[in-house]
Each structure stands twice: as structure tokens, then as C-alpha cells.
Amino acid sequence: AVAMVLVAIILIGLAGVMGSGFRSLRNNRLEEQATQVGMQGLEFARSLTYSQVAVNPGVSESDPRIAPSTRQIRGSYFGLSGNEKLVEYGVDNPDAMIPYTSTETLDGVTFTSLAYVTQVDAGLRRVIISVTWDPGNGTREILMSTNVSEVSSP
């Protein structure tokens, strides 16, 4: 009887460890997929001409990452030392090609990408991609960025 109780306790413990391990593997796989989604966005931005590196349509007024009155991203959210001016579709950027928002569903999980383009300096723009997803235990996010210069774009 004692042996049966010990075996039961060991099996219950083993089942808990295995369940935790499977969740960890799934979360790692989802993070890899989110990274892939973000990298696709950055690669798309790098494939554009400099004049096309702008958000179209513009960033939503309700996005908490921007200051709507000045049309700047809040630098602190992105780990930057200050705010940066958004580069969006409009009279100054009629060729804008980077979508502000996009979604992709992989293995039943929806990944939402938000794109921000800022003017870092004359001839230099920063592209930031935020990818969010919910693995079932709360929303996760990764941020990725790249710089595109007038000289390096095709």
C-alpha cells in the first residue's frame, strides 16, 4: 500500500513537470513565430525605396505609444532617449508603403503587428515593429527595429 502511494505521488509530480515543460516549449515556439513575423516586416521595409519607408495609413490617434498632438512616438515606450517624429502617408510622403497594422494567424494563434516609422535624422528613418500575441495566459509583445537610410535603400 505504501509503495502504491509513493508511485502515485511520483507520477503526479512527473505529470506536473511534463505539463510545465510542454507549456514552456509552446511559449518558446510562439515567441519564435512572433520574431519571424516581425523580421518579415523589417525585411519588407528594407526592400523599399527611401520615399516608400513611411506608414500608410497613418498611426491611429488612439495608439497610446504616440503623442497625437505632435505626431511623435513616445520614446520611453520603445527604450529611446526622446520622442521621435512619425513619418506617415500624406502630402510629404505620398509613396508610403508600410502598413500600420497587420495580422497573421499561425497554428491557431493570431499575431498582430504595428509599424512605426520615425525620422531619426536627415536621410535616416527608424522602422519599429511591435508584434503581440496571446498564448492563452496574457498578451506578450516583442519589439524590433531597423534603420533605413537614403543611401542604403534600393
Side-chain angles (χ1 to χ4, degrees):
V2 173
M4 294 287 271
V5 171
L6 285 175
V7 168
I9 290 171
I10 291 170
L11 288 177
I12 290 170
L14 187 58
V17 168
M18 288 181 64
S20 176
F22 287 133
R23 276 190 302 280
S24 180
L25 284 172
R26 181 175 186 269
N27 287 338
N28 288 342
R29 183 177 49 79
L30 291 173
E31 188 165 332
E32 286 176 15
Q33 289 175 319
T35 300
Q36 179 184 5
V37 169
M39 288 301 294
Q40 288 172 351
L42 294 180
E43 289 300 325
F44 176 69
R46 289 185 196 116
S47 74
L48 300 173
T49 65
Y50 187 75
S51 65
Q52 294 172 322
V53 179
V55 178
N56 184 4
V59 176
S60 170
E61 294 276 332
S62 64
D63 189 323
R65 298 172 182 105
I66 70 160
S69 61
T70 59
R71 302 306 293 165
Q72 293 182 328
I73 62 166
R74 299 179 195 277
S76 60
Y77 183 88
F78 298 101
L80 304 172
S81 60
N83 294 349
E84 292 180 358
K85 179 100 173 99
L86 285 165
V87 181
E88 304 170 281
Y89 173 79
V91 175
D92 294 335
N93 301 294
D95 298 331
M97 292 285 293
I98 299 175
Y100 166 59
T101 184
S102 62
T103 59
E104 186 171 342
T105 301
L106 301 168
D107 297 330
V109 176
T110 300
F111 296 87
T112 302
S113 299
L114 297 177
Y116 306 87
V117 177
T118 63
Q119 192 72 47
V120 178
D121 209 347
L124 183 64
R125 293 179 178 172
R126 182 187 328 268
V127 179
I128 302 171
I129 305 287
S130 160
V131 181
T132 57
W133 72 100
D134 186 348
N137 57 352
T139 302
R140 306 265 174 102
E141 177 183 38
I142 60 166
L143 294 171
M144 309 173 87
S145 69
T146 191
N147 290 334
V148 177
S149 74
E150 275 186 289
V151 177
S152 68
S153 65

